[in-house]
Amino acid sequence: MSKAVVHGERPRARYRTRNWREYDRGLIARGDLTVWISPDLTWHVEEGTGRRGRPRVFTDVAIQAVLTLKVLYQLPLRAAQGMAGGLIRLAGLDWKVPHYSTLSRRQKDLTVTIPYRARGGPLHLIIDSTGLKVLGEGEWKVRKHGADKRRVWRKVHLVIDADSHEVRAVEMTDHRHGDGEIVPGLLAQLPKAEQIGVISGDGAYDTRGVYEASAARDAALVVPPRRNGKPWKARTAGAAERNESLRAIKRLGRRLWKRWSGYHRRSLAETAMSRLKRLGERLSARDPARQVAEVQIRCAILNTFNALGMPDTVAVA
């Protein structure tokens, strides 16, 4: 016997995962350590690179692999060195293990590779930002005694592919930088040959700079104008698009405009932020250069997990 729906309430949506077996295997594979350390990696630098100074022993791939273990399992550098050495011995490989001092030094200028799956059609990108803690006491002390003046945060800006849920671009700033001013640098991280169809964001991206950046990539921008927003002059980039949104909101209401424009897909960015913070809400590195590499490694972990398997979920009646 079905439960009666309370008058005025909308029935709760129900969903079904159509590829549960494949997704289940992907979830299990996320715990496979050979995903990060395998014989296929180019571990040592080849001779005769032509670089001045003392030659490097380990490639960026090797350093990223060990730092990935550190970030994923929230280990100190020495423990990450020990785990990598144990995996190398278990795999029967004759590789050297990067010393923890080498890991610390190389992290500062590491070129992190963030894997992603190339797609043929135009991209639907979602832009958002969140904060990660650097300094400060735990949440219990804050609740008990109030926030510490030394609490320091870093702002992480992500560009998410709405279809694959992969991170396509990332920037890290301090709290003094606005969301809109980071967008041109984020879009510059995507290859120019890759076509962008739509860019979605919240009201913080209702700026002329964001419209100019999206117009430069021939992309439509789905951003709700600010509640006190005024029409722009016609010569401004994106003015026609934004002014039409203002007229539609005034005529239909903001809630209906969001549903009609597909704005609610932007919530996928909040899901990505939540997954990013499951790797830790605090950055372990202390200087900004190493923090950038740590955030990029987190994004590489999320994309690798996505490639292992994602749920194909559909709404059911």
Side-chain angles (χ1 to χ4, degrees):
M1 183 176 180
S2 61
K3 296 181 180 179
V5 178
V6 179
H7 181 69
E9 288 187 3
R10 296 178 58 187
R12 181 177 296 180
R14 298 174 58 200
Y15 299 91
R16 181 172 63 89
T17 301
R18 298 186 295 186
N19 64 333
W20 175 248
R21 289 186 178 180
E22 294 80 2
Y23 180 47
D24 188 48
R25 287 195 293 266
L27 292 176
I28 295 172
R30 294 182 182 188
D32 188 351
L33 294 175
T34 60
V35 171
W36 316 109
I37 303 289
S38 72
D40 299 329
L41 297 179
T42 305
W43 196 261
H44 295 110
V45 176
E46 297 180 357
E47 298 292 338
T49 58
R51 296 172 58 97
R52 296 183 61 184
R54 182 178 179 180
R56 288 182 171 179
V57 177
F58 304 100
T59 63
D60 282 347
V61 173
I63 300 299
Q64 180 175 337
V66 182
L67 290 177
T68 296
L69 297 175
K70 174 185 182 300
V71 172
L72 184 58
Y73 298 103
Q74 301 183 22
L75 301 172
L77 282 171
R78 291 172 174 84
Q81 176 186 341
M83 174 177 279
L87 291 175
I88 289 172
R89 289 191 298 272
L90 289 173
L93 301 172
D94 59 350
W95 295 347
K96 297 179 180 179
V97 183
H99 193 265
Y100 66 85
S101 61
T102 301
L103 295 172
S104 177
R105 185 178 66 255
R106 293 281 298 275
Q107 182 178 351
K108 190 172 184 179
D109 59 353
L110 180 65
T111 301
V112 176
T113 301
I114 302 178
Y116 66 90
R117 292 164 290 176
R119 297 176 50 247
L123 300 176
H124 184 170
L125 301 179
I126 303 171
I127 304 178
D128 206 351
S129 65
T130 190
L132 291 176
K133 185 164 51 179
V134 179
L135 296 175
E137 301 294 340
E139 302 303 325
W140 170 251
K141 180 180 179 299
V142 173
R143 181 180 293 272
K144 191 80 172 177
H145 303 289
D148 191 336
K149 294 182 179 180
R150 294 181 64 249
R151 292 172 71 87
V152 178
W153 295 77
R154 293 287 182 259
K155 203 171 185 180
V156 178
H157 309 260
L158 297 182
V159 175
I160 308 297
D161 185 338
D163 295 314
S164 67
H165 298 252
E166 292 178 332
V167 178
R168 294 303 315 272
V170 57
E171 286 279 0
M172 194 190 73
T173 64
D174 56 33
H175 65 279
R176 292 171 294 184
H177 289 77
D179 291 347
E181 63 184 281
I182 309 300
V183 172
L186 287 169
L187 296 182
Q189 296 181 26
L190 280 79
K192 292 185 178 180
E194 200 162 17
Q195 186 179 0
I196 303 175
V198 181
I199 300 173
S200 299
D202 58 24
Y205 298 96
D206 180 33
T207 66
R208 287 177 170 81
V210 175
Y211 274 92
E212 291 173 358
S214 61
R217 296 299 297 260
D218 297 324
L221 187 63
V222 179
V223 168
R226 300 177 188 271
R227 293 188 179 276
N228 59 349
K230 304 297 181 182
W232 287 352
K233 295 181 179 180
R235 65 174 179 269
T236 305
E241 184 179 6
R242 182 179 180 277
N243 293 343
E244 178 60 31
S245 296
L246 280 172
R247 287 191 291 268
I249 290 173
K250 185 176 181 180
R251 183 171 61 253
L252 304 174
R254 189 169 290 264
R255 178 179 298 180
L256 189 58
W257 174 85
K258 288 182 178 180
R259 186 183 305 174
W260 167 76
S261 65
Y263 170 77
H264 290 298
R265 293 198 74 185
R266 192 201 62 81
S267 62
L268 294 174
E270 298 175 3
T271 303
M273 299 299 182
S274 174
R275 294 169 60 231
L276 182 75
K277 289 189 174 183
R278 287 186 181 183
L279 297 173
E281 296 196 14
R282 182 194 298 268
L283 293 169
S284 62
R286 292 307 176 98
D287 68 281
R290 292 182 176 87
Q291 290 167 359
V292 169
E294 183 177 341
V295 169
Q296 291 173 341
I297 288 173
R298 291 190 184 198
C299 296
I301 291 172
L302 295 183
N303 285 6
T304 301
F305 282 171
N306 284 354
L308 293 173
M310 289 289 290
D312 180 15
T313 305
V314 294
V316 296

